[in-house]
């Protein structure tokens, strides 16, 4: 069982540690939590998040304004920084998730 707001706070901490240390172990945990906990907490139509995500049974989506319903979208919005980055002149893809990206460089 995981609360959505706690998952997002965990991801924020991992993101800070990853950006400060550059250790890919933090990135792997970010992606694991993002894919398995945060995305699992979102209603299929994207309109709500669970306060907590049970391991079995129906998910109790919360349509009201709670810490979890506001943290879920914030966690989703942080995701682009974990999918690709520039390392010198090389574009490095960091995620195993499918997706599309476009980049513009001044040079």
């Amino acid at each position: 069982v995981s609360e959505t707001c706690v998952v997002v706070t965990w991801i924020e901490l991992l993101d800070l540690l990853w950006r400060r240390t550059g250790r890919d172990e933090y990135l792997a945990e970010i992606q694991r939590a993002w894919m398995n906990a945060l995305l699992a907490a979102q209603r299929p139509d994207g309109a709500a998040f669970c306060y907590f995500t049970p391991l079995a049974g129906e998910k109790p989506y919360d349509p009201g304004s709670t810490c979890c319903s506001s943290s879920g979208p914030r966690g989703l919005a942080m995701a682009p920084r974990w999918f690709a980055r520039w390392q010198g002149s090389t574009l490095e893809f960091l995620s195993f998730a499918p997706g599309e990206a476009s980049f513009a460089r001044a040079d």
Side-chain angles (χ1 to χ4, degrees), residues 7-42:
V7 169
V8 173
T9 302
W10 174 239
I11 289 172
E12 288 173 325
L13 173 62
L14 292 166
D15 179 60
L16 177 66
L17 292 169
W18 176 61
R19 286 186 286 123
R20 295 266 170 97
T21 67
R23 293 179 54 191
D24 287 338
E25 299 87 17
Y26 296 122
L27 178 62
E29 178 61 20
I30 288 169
Q31 291 180 352
R32 187 191 70 74
W34 194 80
M35 298 283 283
N36 294 326
L38 186 58
L39 292 183
Q42 188 177 31

Side-chain angles (χ1 to χ4, degrees), residues 4 13 23 33 38 44-45 48 76 79 81 84 89 95 107:
T4 301
L13 173 62
R23 293 179 54 191
L38 186 58
D45 67 1
L76 294 179
R81 69 177 85 168
S89 62
S95 178
D107 58 351

Side-chain angles (χ1 to χ4, degrees), residues 1-2 21 23 27 39 42 49 54 60 65 67 83 85 91 100 107:
V1 176
S2 61
T21 67
R23 293 179 54 191
L27 178 62
L39 292 183
Q42 188 177 31
F49 280 84
S65 292
C67 60
F83 291 105
R85 69 178 170 201
L91 179 61
E100 294 181 20
D107 58 351

Side-chain angles (χ1 to χ4, degrees), residues 1-7 10 32 36-38 40-41 50-60 68:
V1 176
S2 61
E3 290 186 22
T4 301
C5 56
V6 174
V7 169
W10 174 239
R32 187 191 70 74
N36 294 326
L38 186 58
C50 296
Y51 175 72
F52 68 93
T53 306
L55 297 174
E58 293 197 26
K59 294 180 184 177
C68 291

Side-chain angles (χ1 to χ4, degrees), residues 83-94 103 105 107:
F83 291 105
R85 69 178 170 201
W86 287 101
Q87 288 287 87
S89 62
T90 303
L91 179 61
E92 181 180 19
F93 290 95
L94 306 171
F103 299 88
R105 290 193 60 144
D107 58 351

